[in-house]
Amino acid sequence: QVQLVESGGGLVQPGGSLTLSCAAIGFTFKRYIMSWYRQAPGKEREWVAHISSADAGGWPNYADSVKGRFSIYRDNVKSTLYLQMNDLKREDTAVYYCGAPSTAIWGQGIQVTVSS
């Protein structure tokens, strides 16, 4: 069964850190560009970051809103994608989704809440 399973979300205070994980099951993870998106209440889903495939060097790209605070990386041996989030702000509160856009495979989403 092909799926992506996110973990690591939760409640964190402003200025805090969290690391999200996304385990890929049933497909050749290293071949694909992998992305993180998020959707805040009442807003459209927005792109957060993506990382190129292993063959393409694993290069990251970030939305301006998270650049310098978030870091996307991948472990192709473990078939796992990560999102390290530092200096979290209230406006980062959202459901975060990992995905392989070219395959239309998406995780179920995980809640991140930034609040004091």
Side-chain angles (χ1 to χ4, degrees):
Q1 183 178 2
V2 176
Q3 58 180 335
L4 293 169
V5 181
E6 297 111 334
S7 60
L11 174 65
V12 63
Q13 293 186 344
S17 298
L18 275 178
T19 299
L20 303 182
S21 300
C22 172
I25 301 168
F27 70 100
T28 310
F29 172 80
K30 66 180 181 179
R31 293 182 180 174
Y32 296 98
I33 295 171
M34 297 297 298
S35 301
W36 287 98
Y37 281 71
R38 66 186 181 186
Q39 188 166 18
K43 295 187 177 181
E44 293 187 354
R45 189 176 295 193
E46 66 169 347
W47 169 70
V48 174
H50 69 245
I51 186 167
S52 65
S53 67
D55 287 346
W59 293 102
N61 279 284
Y62 301 95
D64 287 344
S65 59
V66 305
K67 198 172 294 184
R69 300 188 298 121
F70 289 14
S71 178
I72 186 172
Y73 58 101
R74 63 194 300 161
D75 184 328
N76 295 306
V77 175
K78 295 182 178 179
S79 294
T80 302
L81 178 71
Y82 300 93
L83 186 68
Q84 172 70 43
M85 304 183 292
N86 298 322
D87 189 23
L88 282 159
K89 307 178 185 300
R90 288 182 173 82
E91 52 265 39
D92 294 317
T93 294
V95 177
Y96 284 72
Y97 300 87
C98 68
S102 66
T103 68
I105 300 171
W106 292 95
Q108 79 284 359
I110 192 161
Q111 179 70 45
V112 172
T113 302
V114 184
S115 175
S116 54

